[in-house]
Protein backbone atom coordinates (compact mmCIF):
# COMPACT_ATOMS: atom_id res chain seq x y z
CA UNK A 1 0.00 0.00 0.00
CA UNK A 2 1.34 3.48 -0.86
CA UNK A 3 1.76 5.84 2.13
CA UNK A 4 0.63 9.25 0.87
CA UNK A 5 2.47 11.17 3.60
CA UNK A 6 5.75 9.42 2.82
CA UNK A 7 5.13 9.93 -0.89
CA UNK A 8 4.70 13.65 -0.32
CA UNK A 9 7.96 13.84 1.63
CA UNK A 10 9.89 12.09 -1.12
CA UNK A 11 8.28 14.26 -3.80
CA UNK A 12 9.14 17.44 -1.91
CA UNK A 13 12.80 16.44 -1.46
CA UNK A 14 13.29 15.41 -5.08
CA UNK A 15 11.46 18.49 -6.34
CA UNK A 16 13.76 20.75 -4.31
CA UNK A 17 16.87 18.91 -5.46
CA UNK A 18 15.77 19.03 -9.09
CA UNK A 19 15.07 22.76 -8.90
CA UNK A 20 18.54 23.48 -7.50
CA UNK A 21 20.63 21.19 -9.70
CA UNK A 22 21.45 21.44 -13.41
CA UNK A 23 19.89 18.97 -15.87
CA UNK A 24 21.57 15.56 -15.88
CA UNK A 25 22.46 15.63 -12.17
CA UNK A 26 21.97 12.24 -10.55
CA UNK A 27 19.48 12.21 -7.65
CA UNK A 28 19.48 9.99 -4.54
CA UNK A 29 18.82 6.32 -5.21
CA UNK A 30 15.67 4.45 -4.25
CA UNK A 31 17.58 2.76 -1.44
CA UNK A 32 18.78 6.10 -0.03
CA UNK A 33 15.28 7.61 -0.18
CA UNK A 34 13.76 4.50 1.39
CA UNK A 35 16.06 4.72 4.40
CA UNK A 36 15.90 8.49 4.72
CA UNK A 37 12.09 8.70 4.77
CA UNK A 38 11.30 5.31 6.33
CA UNK A 39 9.25 4.58 3.21
CA UNK A 40 8.74 1.40 1.22
CA UNK A 41 10.28 1.01 -2.26
CA UNK A 42 6.73 1.05 -3.68
CA UNK A 43 6.12 4.46 -2.09
CA UNK A 44 9.41 5.87 -3.39
CA UNK A 45 8.70 4.51 -6.88
CA UNK A 46 5.26 6.17 -6.82
CA UNK A 47 6.86 9.52 -5.94
CA UNK A 48 9.40 9.19 -8.76
CA UNK A 49 6.65 8.32 -11.26
CA UNK A 50 4.77 11.47 -10.25
CA UNK A 51 7.82 13.66 -10.89
CA UNK A 52 8.55 11.90 -14.18
CA UNK A 53 4.98 12.62 -15.28
CA UNK A 54 5.54 16.29 -14.40
CA UNK A 55 8.72 16.40 -16.49
CA UNK A 56 11.00 17.24 -13.53
CA UNK A 57 13.06 14.06 -13.42
CA UNK A 58 13.88 11.17 -15.72
CA UNK A 59 14.84 7.58 -15.05
CA UNK A 60 17.62 5.77 -16.89
CA UNK A 61 17.50 2.01 -16.91
CA UNK A 62 20.13 0.51 -14.59
CA UNK A 63 21.59 3.92 -13.71
CA UNK A 64 19.07 5.72 -11.51
CA UNK A 65 17.10 8.97 -11.45
CA UNK A 66 18.35 12.26 -12.93
CA UNK A 67 17.23 15.87 -13.21
CA UNK A 68 15.36 16.24 -16.49
CA UNK A 69 16.25 18.77 -19.16
CA UNK A 70 14.33 21.99 -18.76
CA UNK A 71 12.36 23.35 -21.71
CA UNK A 72 13.92 26.35 -23.38
CA UNK A 73 12.43 29.71 -22.48
CA UNK A 74 9.77 30.77 -24.92
CA UNK A 75 11.01 33.40 -27.33
CA UNK A 76 8.38 33.16 -30.04
CA UNK A 77 5.40 35.54 -29.97
CA UNK A 78 2.13 34.15 -28.57
CA UNK A 79 0.26 31.93 -31.01
CA UNK A 80 -2.62 33.57 -32.86
CA UNK A 81 -5.59 31.21 -32.66
CA UNK A 82 -8.23 33.79 -33.52
CA UNK A 83 -8.67 32.33 -37.02
CA UNK A 84 -10.33 29.27 -35.45
CA UNK A 85 -13.38 31.35 -34.47
CA UNK A 86 -14.26 31.79 -38.14
CA UNK A 87 -13.25 28.28 -39.18
CA UNK A 88 -15.27 26.53 -36.47
CA UNK A 89 -18.45 28.58 -36.73
CA UNK A 90 -21.07 28.69 -33.98
CA UNK A 91 -20.81 26.50 -30.89
CA UNK A 92 -22.94 23.37 -30.88
CA UNK A 93 -26.17 23.31 -28.92
CA UNK A 94 -25.90 21.91 -25.40
CA UNK A 95 -22.12 21.98 -25.00
CA UNK A 96 -22.11 24.35 -22.02
CA UNK A 97 -25.08 22.61 -20.40
CA UNK A 98 -23.49 19.16 -20.74
CA UNK A 99 -20.23 20.43 -19.28
CA UNK A 100 -22.14 21.94 -16.34
CA UNK A 101 -24.11 18.73 -15.89
CA UNK A 102 -20.93 16.64 -15.66
CA UNK A 103 -18.90 19.13 -13.60
CA UNK A 104 -17.68 17.94 -10.22
CA UNK A 105 -19.24 19.82 -7.27
CA UNK A 106 -16.97 22.33 -5.53
CA UNK A 107 -15.51 21.43 -2.17
CA UNK A 108 -18.01 21.92 0.65
CA UNK A 109 -21.06 22.02 -1.60
CA UNK A 110 -23.84 19.45 -1.26
CA UNK A 111 -24.63 17.92 -4.66
CA UNK A 112 -28.30 17.73 -5.61
CA UNK A 113 -27.22 17.45 -9.23
CA UNK A 114 -25.39 14.85 -11.26
CA UNK A 115 -26.05 11.83 -13.40
CA UNK A 116 -24.28 9.08 -11.49
CA UNK A 117 -24.48 7.25 -8.21
CA UNK A 118 -22.75 8.51 -5.10
CA UNK A 119 -19.46 6.54 -4.79
CA UNK A 120 -20.88 4.95 -1.62
CA UNK A 121 -23.55 3.27 -3.77
CA UNK A 122 -21.23 1.94 -6.47
CA UNK A 123 -20.23 -1.76 -6.38
CA UNK A 124 -16.56 -0.91 -6.81
CA UNK A 125 -15.21 -3.94 -4.94
CA UNK A 126 -17.09 -6.40 -7.14
CA UNK A 127 -16.23 -4.45 -10.27
CA UNK A 128 -12.57 -4.19 -9.29
CA UNK A 129 -12.36 -7.92 -8.63
CA UNK A 130 -14.00 -8.75 -11.96
CA UNK A 131 -11.80 -6.33 -13.91
CA UNK A 132 -8.61 -7.57 -12.25
CA UNK A 133 -9.52 -11.15 -13.10
CA UNK A 134 -10.35 -10.19 -16.70
CA UNK A 135 -7.10 -8.25 -17.11
CA UNK A 136 -5.07 -11.32 -16.15
CA UNK A 137 -6.54 -13.38 -18.97
CA UNK A 138 -4.56 -12.85 -22.21
CA UNK A 139 -7.58 -13.68 -24.39
CA UNK A 140 -9.47 -10.65 -23.09
CA UNK A 141 -6.86 -8.35 -24.66
CA UNK A 142 -7.29 -9.83 -28.11
CA UNK A 143 -9.65 -8.62 -30.79
CA UNK A 144 -13.11 -10.11 -30.43
CA UNK A 145 -16.29 -9.79 -32.49
CA UNK A 146 -16.79 -6.16 -33.46
CA UNK A 147 -20.41 -6.34 -32.30
CA UNK A 148 -19.26 -7.45 -28.84
CA UNK A 149 -18.86 -10.67 -26.89
CA UNK A 150 -21.60 -13.17 -27.60
CA UNK A 151 -22.24 -13.93 -23.92
CA UNK A 152 -22.60 -10.22 -23.11
CA UNK A 153 -24.95 -9.67 -26.06
CA UNK A 154 -26.94 -12.70 -24.92
CA UNK A 155 -27.30 -11.22 -21.44
CA UNK A 156 -28.60 -7.91 -22.77
CA UNK A 157 -30.98 -9.77 -25.11
CA UNK A 158 -32.36 -11.89 -22.25
CA UNK A 159 -33.06 -8.72 -20.31
CA UNK A 160 -35.46 -7.56 -23.06
CA UNK A 161 -37.38 -10.84 -22.69
CA UNK A 162 -37.78 -10.68 -18.90
CA UNK A 163 -40.96 -12.48 -17.95
CA UNK A 164 -41.51 -13.87 -21.46
CA UNK A 165 -41.14 -17.34 -22.86
CA UNK A 166 -37.79 -17.99 -24.53
CA UNK A 167 -39.40 -17.96 -27.97
CA UNK A 168 -41.68 -14.95 -27.45
CA UNK A 169 -40.89 -11.27 -28.04
CA UNK A 170 -37.77 -9.41 -27.11
CA UNK A 171 -34.47 -9.32 -28.94
CA UNK A 172 -31.92 -12.01 -29.81
CA UNK A 173 -28.14 -11.90 -29.21
CA UNK A 174 -27.56 -11.34 -32.92
CA UNK A 175 -29.74 -8.20 -32.72
CA UNK A 176 -27.44 -6.56 -30.16
CA UNK A 177 -24.25 -4.53 -30.45
CA UNK A 178 -22.12 -3.55 -27.44
CA UNK A 179 -21.29 0.15 -27.08
CA UNK A 180 -18.98 2.22 -24.82
CA UNK A 181 -21.78 3.78 -22.77
CA UNK A 182 -25.30 5.00 -23.37
CA UNK A 183 -24.36 8.40 -24.79
CA UNK A 184 -22.14 6.83 -27.46
CA UNK A 185 -24.91 4.35 -28.27
CA UNK A 186 -27.48 7.13 -28.62
CA UNK A 187 -25.22 9.25 -30.82
CA UNK A 188 -24.56 6.28 -33.10
CA UNK A 189 -28.26 5.44 -33.32
CA UNK A 190 -29.22 8.97 -34.30
CA UNK A 191 -26.59 9.12 -37.02
CA UNK A 192 -27.38 5.63 -38.31
CA UNK A 193 -31.14 6.13 -38.58
CA UNK A 194 -31.32 9.71 -39.86
CA UNK A 195 -29.77 12.20 -42.23
CA UNK A 196 -28.91 15.81 -41.34
CA UNK A 197 -32.06 17.90 -41.60
CA UNK A 198 -34.40 15.08 -40.56
CA UNK A 199 -36.87 15.55 -37.72
CA UNK A 200 -36.55 13.85 -34.35
CA UNK A 201 -39.56 13.75 -32.03
CA UNK A 202 -38.81 13.82 -28.29
CA UNK A 203 -40.78 13.87 -25.08
CA UNK A 204 -40.96 17.30 -23.47
CA UNK A 205 -39.02 17.67 -21.27
CA UNK A 206 -36.39 15.08 -22.14
CA UNK A 207 -32.82 14.02 -21.49
CA UNK A 208 -30.41 16.87 -22.13
CA UNK A 209 -27.82 14.53 -23.65
CA UNK A 210 -30.35 13.41 -26.27
CA UNK A 211 -31.03 17.00 -27.30
CA UNK A 212 -27.30 17.70 -27.57
CA UNK A 213 -26.69 14.53 -29.62
CA UNK A 214 -29.59 15.32 -31.93
CA UNK A 215 -28.35 18.81 -32.66
CA UNK A 216 -24.81 17.47 -33.18
CA UNK A 217 -26.28 15.10 -35.81
CA UNK A 218 -27.93 18.04 -37.58
CA UNK A 219 -31.47 17.03 -36.69
CA UNK A 220 -34.52 19.22 -36.23
CA UNK A 221 -35.92 18.48 -32.77
CA UNK A 222 -39.68 18.69 -32.21
CA UNK A 223 -41.04 18.29 -28.67
CA UNK A 224 -44.14 16.25 -27.85
CA UNK A 225 -45.98 17.03 -24.58
CA UNK A 226 -45.73 14.53 -21.74
CA UNK A 227 -47.15 14.33 -18.21
CA UNK A 228 -46.70 12.11 -15.16
CA UNK A 229 -47.89 9.10 -17.23
CA UNK A 230 -45.42 9.66 -20.05
CA UNK A 231 -45.83 11.01 -23.57
CA UNK A 232 -49.37 11.87 -24.74
CA UNK A 233 -50.24 9.36 -27.51
CA UNK A 234 -52.61 11.66 -29.35
CA UNK A 235 -50.04 14.43 -29.47
CA UNK A 236 -47.42 11.95 -30.65
CA UNK A 237 -49.62 10.79 -33.52
CA UNK A 238 -50.33 14.40 -34.46
CA UNK A 239 -46.61 15.24 -34.41
CA UNK A 240 -45.83 12.33 -36.74
CA UNK A 241 -48.58 13.46 -39.12
CA UNK A 242 -47.53 17.12 -39.08
CA UNK A 243 -43.76 16.68 -39.39
CA UNK A 244 -43.38 13.43 -41.34
CA UNK A 245 -40.81 12.34 -38.74
CA UNK A 246 -39.60 8.75 -38.79
CA UNK A 247 -37.93 8.65 -35.38
CA UNK A 248 -39.12 9.21 -31.81
CA UNK A 249 -36.82 9.19 -28.77
CA UNK A 250 -38.21 8.46 -25.31
CA UNK A 251 -37.39 7.09 -21.87
CA UNK A 252 -40.50 5.05 -20.96
CA UNK A 253 -39.17 4.10 -17.51
CA UNK A 254 -38.30 6.76 -14.88
CA UNK A 255 -37.66 9.42 -17.51
CA UNK A 256 -34.86 11.92 -16.93
CA UNK A 257 -35.60 14.58 -15.69
CA UNK A 258 -39.26 14.06 -14.67
CA UNK A 259 -39.13 10.51 -13.30
CA UNK A 260 -42.32 9.67 -15.23
CA UNK A 261 -43.05 6.11 -16.36
CA UNK A 262 -45.19 5.44 -19.42
CA UNK A 263 -48.55 4.25 -18.08
CA UNK A 264 -49.66 0.71 -19.04
CA UNK A 265 -52.78 2.09 -20.74
CA UNK A 266 -50.67 4.34 -22.98
CA UNK A 267 -48.12 1.79 -24.15
CA UNK A 268 -50.30 0.26 -26.92
CA UNK A 269 -51.34 3.69 -28.19
CA UNK A 270 -47.76 4.97 -28.30
CA UNK A 271 -46.45 1.93 -30.18
CA UNK A 272 -49.47 2.11 -32.51
CA UNK A 273 -48.67 5.74 -33.35
CA UNK A 274 -45.10 4.75 -34.18
CA UNK A 275 -46.22 1.77 -36.24
CA UNK A 276 -48.82 3.72 -38.22
CA UNK A 277 -46.21 6.38 -39.05
CA UNK A 278 -43.82 3.72 -40.33
CA UNK A 279 -41.32 5.07 -37.81
CA UNK A 280 -38.78 3.93 -35.24
CA UNK A 281 -38.88 4.47 -31.49
CA UNK A 282 -35.60 4.68 -29.58
CA UNK A 283 -36.34 3.20 -26.16
CA UNK A 284 -33.69 4.56 -23.78
CA UNK A 285 -33.93 2.04 -20.94
CA UNK A 286 -31.21 3.65 -18.81
CA UNK A 287 -33.17 3.24 -15.53
CA UNK A 288 -34.09 -0.46 -15.76
CA UNK A 289 -32.01 -1.16 -12.65
CA UNK A 290 -33.02 1.99 -10.75
CA UNK A 291 -36.60 1.08 -9.82
CA UNK A 292 -37.35 1.83 -6.16
CA UNK A 293 -41.00 0.88 -5.70
CA UNK A 294 -42.42 -2.35 -7.13
CA UNK A 295 -41.24 -4.08 -10.29
CA UNK A 296 -40.48 -2.25 -13.55
CA UNK A 297 -42.69 -2.96 -16.57
CA UNK A 298 -41.06 -4.99 -19.31
CA UNK A 299 -39.32 -3.06 -22.10
CA UNK A 300 -41.30 -1.86 -25.09
CA UNK A 301 -38.99 -4.03 -27.18
CA UNK A 302 -40.57 -7.10 -25.58
CA UNK A 303 -43.86 -6.40 -27.39
CA UNK A 304 -42.46 -5.30 -30.74
CA UNK A 305 -42.63 -8.12 -33.31
CA UNK A 306 -42.05 -5.90 -36.34
CA UNK A 307 -38.83 -4.11 -35.44
CA UNK A 308 -40.07 -0.58 -34.71
CA UNK A 309 -38.32 -0.33 -31.31
CA UNK A 310 -34.60 0.40 -31.08
CA UNK A 311 -33.65 -0.70 -27.57
CA UNK A 312 -30.84 1.03 -25.66
CA UNK A 313 -29.73 -0.31 -22.27
CA UNK A 314 -26.81 1.07 -20.27
CA UNK A 315 -25.17 -0.16 -17.07
CA UNK A 316 -23.31 3.05 -16.30
CA UNK A 317 -26.04 4.80 -14.31
CA UNK A 318 -26.83 1.79 -12.16
CA UNK A 319 -23.25 0.68 -11.47
CA UNK A 320 -20.41 3.21 -11.82
CA UNK A 321 -19.35 6.01 -14.21
CA UNK A 322 -16.32 3.99 -15.27
CA UNK A 323 -18.41 1.02 -16.42
CA UNK A 324 -18.89 2.44 -19.89
CA UNK A 325 -20.86 -0.48 -21.26
CA UNK A 326 -24.22 -0.36 -23.01
CA UNK A 327 -26.05 -2.24 -25.77
CA UNK A 328 -28.16 -1.25 -28.75
CA UNK A 329 -30.66 -3.75 -30.09
CA UNK A 330 -32.71 -3.71 -33.28
CA UNK A 331 -34.17 -6.19 -35.75
CA UNK A 332 -33.74 -6.36 -39.48
CA UNK A 333 -31.90 -3.80 -41.63
CA UNK A 334 -32.01 -1.26 -38.78
CA UNK A 335 -29.88 -3.59 -36.67
CA UNK A 336 -27.38 -3.93 -39.51
CA UNK A 337 -27.20 -0.15 -39.81
CA UNK A 338 -26.54 0.22 -36.10
CA UNK A 339 -23.81 -2.41 -36.09
CA UNK A 340 -22.13 -0.76 -39.08
CA UNK A 341 -22.32 2.65 -37.40
CA UNK A 342 -20.69 1.34 -34.24
CA UNK A 343 -17.90 -0.26 -36.29
CA UNK A 344 -17.16 3.06 -38.00
CA UNK A 345 -17.23 4.98 -34.73
CA UNK A 346 -14.67 3.02 -32.71
CA UNK A 347 -14.40 -0.61 -33.92
CA UNK A 348 -15.28 -2.34 -30.62
CA UNK A 349 -15.41 -1.98 -26.83
CA UNK A 350 -12.29 -2.98 -24.87
CA UNK A 351 -12.21 -6.72 -24.25
CA UNK A 352 -11.25 -6.64 -20.54
CA UNK A 353 -14.16 -4.28 -19.83
CA UNK A 354 -16.61 -6.54 -21.65
CA UNK A 355 -15.35 -9.64 -19.86
CA UNK A 356 -15.49 -7.93 -16.46
CA UNK A 357 -19.04 -6.80 -17.21
CA UNK A 358 -20.16 -10.34 -18.08
CA UNK A 359 -18.61 -11.67 -14.90
CA UNK A 360 -20.25 -8.97 -12.80
CA UNK A 361 -23.81 -9.15 -14.15
CA UNK A 362 -23.89 -12.96 -14.09
CA UNK A 363 -22.57 -13.23 -10.53
CA UNK A 364 -24.48 -13.04 -7.21
CA UNK A 365 -22.95 -9.57 -6.76
CA UNK A 366 -25.30 -8.08 -9.38
CA UNK A 367 -28.69 -8.95 -7.84
CA UNK A 368 -27.23 -8.16 -4.41
CA UNK A 369 -26.17 -4.72 -5.67
CA UNK A 370 -29.60 -4.08 -7.20
CA UNK A 371 -31.38 -4.93 -3.95
CA UNK A 372 -29.09 -2.68 -1.92
CA UNK A 373 -29.39 0.08 -4.51
CA UNK A 374 -33.20 0.10 -4.33
CA UNK A 375 -33.06 0.35 -0.54
CA UNK A 376 -30.49 3.14 -0.54
CA UNK A 377 -32.18 5.16 -3.30
CA UNK A 378 -35.50 4.90 -1.47
CA UNK A 379 -33.91 6.29 1.69
CA UNK A 380 -32.35 9.17 -0.22
CA UNK A 381 -35.47 9.98 -2.22
CA UNK A 382 -37.63 9.95 0.91
CA UNK A 383 -35.12 12.07 2.84
CA UNK A 384 -35.12 14.68 0.06
CA UNK A 385 -38.92 14.70 -0.09
CA UNK A 386 -39.12 15.08 3.70
CA UNK A 387 -36.68 17.99 3.60
CA UNK A 388 -38.70 19.69 0.86
CA UNK A 389 -41.89 19.26 2.91
CA UNK A 390 -40.15 20.93 5.87
CA UNK A 391 -38.40 23.82 4.13
CA UNK A 392 -39.86 24.26 0.62
CA UNK A 393 -43.24 22.52 0.38
CA UNK A 394 -44.07 24.32 -2.87
CA UNK A 395 -41.26 22.42 -4.59
CA UNK A 396 -42.59 18.95 -3.73
CA UNK A 397 -43.46 17.19 -7.01
CA UNK A 398 -47.15 16.30 -7.36
CA UNK A 399 -46.20 12.67 -8.06
CA UNK A 400 -42.92 11.46 -6.53
CA UNK A 401 -41.02 9.13 -8.89
CA UNK A 402 -41.02 5.38 -8.29
CA UNK A 403 -37.44 5.11 -9.49
CA UNK A 404 -34.60 6.84 -11.25
CA UNK A 405 -32.25 9.38 -9.72
CA UNK A 406 -34.10 12.71 -9.73
CA UNK A 407 -37.04 14.81 -8.56
CA UNK A 408 -38.61 17.31 -10.98
CA UNK A 409 -39.38 20.22 -8.65
CA UNK A 410 -41.71 23.04 -9.78
CA UNK A 411 -40.59 26.57 -9.01
CA UNK A 412 -43.01 29.47 -8.43
CA UNK A 413 -44.38 31.03 -11.60
CA UNK A 414 -42.08 33.75 -12.85
CA UNK A 415 -38.99 32.41 -11.09
CA UNK A 416 -35.75 32.32 -13.07
CA UNK A 417 -34.53 28.73 -12.74
CA UNK A 418 -31.05 29.52 -14.04
CA UNK A 419 -30.65 32.39 -11.57
CA UNK A 420 -31.91 30.16 -8.76
CA UNK A 421 -29.36 27.47 -9.62
CA UNK A 422 -26.56 30.04 -9.71
CA UNK A 423 -27.57 31.50 -6.34
CA UNK A 424 -27.93 28.02 -4.86
CA UNK A 425 -24.36 27.15 -5.87
CA UNK A 426 -23.15 30.26 -4.08
CA UNK A 427 -25.11 29.09 -1.01
CA UNK A 428 -23.37 25.71 -1.07
CA UNK A 429 -25.88 23.42 -2.77
CA UNK A 430 -25.63 22.35 -6.42
CA UNK A 431 -28.91 22.01 -8.36
CA UNK A 432 -29.67 22.04 -12.08
CA UNK A 433 -32.13 24.36 -13.84
CA UNK A 434 -35.02 22.89 -15.79
CA UNK A 435 -34.77 25.06 -18.90
CA UNK A 436 -32.09 23.05 -20.79
CA UNK A 437 -34.22 19.89 -20.65
CA UNK A 438 -36.83 21.44 -22.97
CA UNK A 439 -36.52 21.49 -26.77
CA UNK A 440 -38.81 24.54 -26.88
CA UNK A 441 -40.13 27.08 -24.38
CA UNK A 442 -40.75 25.47 -20.96
CA UNK A 443 -44.33 25.80 -19.65
CA UNK A 444 -43.01 26.90 -16.23
CA UNK A 445 -39.70 26.94 -14.32
CA UNK A 446 -38.37 23.77 -12.70
CA UNK A 447 -35.31 22.47 -10.91
CA UNK A 448 -33.96 18.97 -11.33
CA UNK A 449 -32.96 17.74 -7.88
CA UNK A 450 -30.82 14.59 -7.76
CA UNK A 451 -31.15 12.37 -4.69
CA UNK A 452 -28.52 9.80 -5.72
CA UNK A 453 -25.46 11.99 -5.25
CA UNK A 454 -25.66 12.83 -1.52
CA UNK A 455 -26.40 10.74 1.61
CA UNK A 456 -29.79 10.98 3.39
CA UNK A 457 -28.24 12.84 6.32
CA UNK A 458 -27.21 15.71 4.02
CA UNK A 459 -30.63 16.29 2.45
CA UNK A 460 -32.07 18.54 5.15
CA UNK A 461 -29.08 20.86 5.11
CA UNK A 462 -29.06 20.87 1.30
CA UNK A 463 -32.70 21.97 1.10
CA UNK A 464 -32.21 24.47 3.93
CA UNK A 465 -29.44 26.09 1.89
CA UNK A 466 -31.67 26.08 -1.18
CA UNK A 467 -34.45 27.71 0.81
CA UNK A 468 -32.23 30.71 1.59
CA UNK A 469 -32.30 31.72 -2.08
CA UNK A 470 -36.02 31.10 -2.57
CA UNK A 471 -37.53 32.67 0.55
Amino acid sequence: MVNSNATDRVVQELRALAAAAPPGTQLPSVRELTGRHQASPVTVAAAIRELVANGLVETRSGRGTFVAARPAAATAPPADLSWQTVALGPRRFGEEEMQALLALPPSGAIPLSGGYLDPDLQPVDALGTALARAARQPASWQRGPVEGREDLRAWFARETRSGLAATAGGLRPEDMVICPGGQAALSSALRALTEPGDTLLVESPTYLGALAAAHAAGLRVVPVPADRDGVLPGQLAAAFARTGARLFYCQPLHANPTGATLAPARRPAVTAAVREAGAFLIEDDYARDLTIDGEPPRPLAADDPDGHVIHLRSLTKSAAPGLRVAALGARGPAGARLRAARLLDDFFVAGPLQQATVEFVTSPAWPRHRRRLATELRARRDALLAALHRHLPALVPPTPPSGGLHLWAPLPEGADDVAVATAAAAAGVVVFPGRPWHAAEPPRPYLRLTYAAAPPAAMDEAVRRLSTVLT
Side-chain angles (χ1 to χ4, degrees), residues 26 58 66 156 170 185 230 252 256 314 327 343 357 412 416-417 420 433 438 461:
Q26 186 166 12
E58 61 185 19
F66 297 80
F156 276 110
N256 180 10
S314 172
L343 174 62
T357 302
D416 185 331
D417 57 326
V420 168
H438 291 270
E461 175 60 17

Side-chain angles (χ1 to χ4, degrees), residues 136-159:
R136 290 194 296 268
Q137 299 185 28
S140 72
W141 294 96
Q142 303 308 310
R143 186 184 69 181
V146 294
E147 62 271 20
R149 288 176 61 111
E150 184 175 0
D151 49 2
L152 185 55
R153 289 184 286 120
W155 182 85
F156 276 110
R158 284 196 302 273
E159 290 285 295

Side-chain angles (χ1 to χ4, degrees), residues 23-25 27 48 51-52 55-61 64-69:
T25 300
L27 296 170
I48 293 173
L51 293 173
V52 169
L56 297 177
V57 306
E58 61 185 19
T59 58
R60 300 175 187 174
S61 180
T65 306
F66 297 80
V67 178

Side-chain angles (χ1 to χ4, degrees), residues 116-130:
Y116 303 106
L117 298 176
D118 183 345
D120 290 342
L121 302 182
Q122 298 170 18
V124 290
D125 288 342
L127 288 172
T129 298

Side-chain angles (χ1 to χ4, degrees), residues 145-148 153 171-195 200 219 246-249 280-284 301 304 307-313 326-349:
V146 294
E147 62 271 20
R153 289 184 286 120
L171 295 164
R172 304 161 301 170
E174 55 266 35
D175 298 324
M176 313 300 294
V177 58
I178 305 302
C179 310
Q183 188 68 24
L186 177 57
S187 296
S188 293
L190 293 178
R191 292 196 306 273
L193 301 174
T194 64
E195 295 288 342
L200 173 69
L219 304 183
R246 291 293 178 266
L247 186 60
F248 170 51
Y249 168 83
F280 292 103
L281 182 157
I282 296 179
E283 177 185 27
D284 186 348
D304 173 48
H308 289 277
V309 175
I310 310 295
H311 184 74
L312 192 169
R313 171 84 179 274
L328 274 172
R331 292 177 170 177
R337 290 278 182 96
L338 293 174
R339 291 187 288 277
R342 288 303 315 151
L343 174 62
L344 292 175
D345 281 347
D346 46 29
F347 291 173
F348 49 82
V349 175

Side-chain angles (χ1 to χ4, degrees), residues 28 70 78 89 134 189 236 252 402:
R70 299 182 179 92
L236 178 62
S402 60

Side-chain angles (χ1 to χ4, degrees), residues 31-395:
R31 178 177 295 180
E32 291 178 73
L33 294 168
T34 298
R36 190 178 304 169
H37 295 281
Q38 297 298 301
S40 72
V42 173
T43 297
V44 173
I48 293 173
R49 284 197 302 272
E50 179 178 334
L51 293 173
V52 169
N54 291 332
L56 297 177
V57 306
E58 61 185 19
T59 58
R60 300 175 187 174
S61 180
R63 298 180 59 192
T65 306
F66 297 80
V67 178
R70 299 182 179 92
T75 58
D80 178 11
L81 304 179
S82 61
W83 64 271
Q84 294 187 5
T85 301
V86 175
L88 292 172
R91 173 179 283 185
R92 290 178 176 176
F93 172 92
E95 285 185 357
E96 290 185 7
E97 292 83 358
M98 289 296 290
Q99 290 171 1
L101 186 64
L102 295 175
L104 296 175
S107 177
I110 302 175
L112 293 185
S113 181
Y116 303 106
L117 298 176
D118 183 345
D120 290 342
L121 302 182
Q122 298 170 18
V124 290
D125 288 342
L127 288 172
T129 298
L131 188 57
R133 192 158 27 239
R136 290 194 296 268
Q137 299 185 28
S140 72
W141 294 96
Q142 303 308 310
R143 186 184 69 181
V146 294
E147 62 271 20
R149 288 176 61 111
E150 184 175 0
D151 49 2
L152 185 55
R153 289 184 286 120
W155 182 85
F156 276 110
R158 284 196 302 273
E159 290 285 295
T160 70
R161 301 194 301 271
S162 179
L164 297 174
T167 58
L171 295 164
R172 304 161 301 170
E174 55 266 35
D175 298 324
M176 313 300 294
V177 58
I178 305 302
C179 310
Q183 188 68 24
L186 177 57
S187 296
S188 293
L190 293 178
R191 292 196 306 273
L193 301 174
T194 64
E195 295 288 342
D198 284 356
T199 297
L200 173 69
L201 304 183
V202 300
E203 300 166 292
S204 185
T206 193
Y207 170 47
L208 172 57
L211 297 177
H215 284 282
L219 304 183
R220 173 175 172 255
V221 181
V222 174
V224 182
D227 59 19
R228 65 184 184 183
D229 291 325
V231 69
L232 302 173
Q235 294 288 351
L236 178 62
F240 274 125
R242 182 173 63 84
T243 65
R246 291 293 178 266
L247 186 60
F248 170 51
Y249 168 83
C250 71
Q251 294 178 331
L253 180 61
H254 313 316
N256 180 10
T258 64
T261 293
L262 185 61
R266 289 189 183 177
R267 289 166 64 102
V270 167
T271 54
V274 173
R275 185 171 57 251
E276 290 166 8
F280 292 103
L281 182 157
I282 296 179
E283 177 185 27
D284 186 348
D285 205 17
Y286 85 99
R288 173 74 27 193
D289 309 306
L290 300 174
T291 295
I292 296 173
D293 303 322
E295 292 295 324
R298 63 193 188 191
L300 295 177
D303 301 308
D304 173 48
D306 300 322
H308 289 277
V309 175
I310 310 295
H311 184 74
L312 192 169
R313 171 84 179 274
S314 172
L315 297 174
T316 304
K317 301 291 188 184
S318 55
L323 190 66
R324 306 298 302 172
V325 173
L328 274 172
R331 292 177 170 177
R337 290 278 182 96
L338 293 174
R339 291 187 288 277
R342 288 303 315 151
L343 174 62
L344 292 175
D345 281 347
D346 46 29
F347 291 173
F348 49 82
V349 175
L353 191 57
Q354 291 192 58
Q355 183 167 332
T357 302
V358 170
E359 179 173 326
F360 175 58
V361 297
T362 58
S363 74
W366 174 239
R368 185 164 59 244
H369 166 65
R370 290 186 62 181
R371 290 191 297 270
R372 175 177 177 264
L373 186 56
T375 300
E376 295 289 342
L377 289 179
R378 181 181 297 109
R380 292 168 186 239
R381 179 200 62 185
D382 293 350
L384 179 54
L385 286 169
L388 289 172
H389 277 290
R390 277 192 297 273
H391 300 290
L392 290 169
L395 268 64

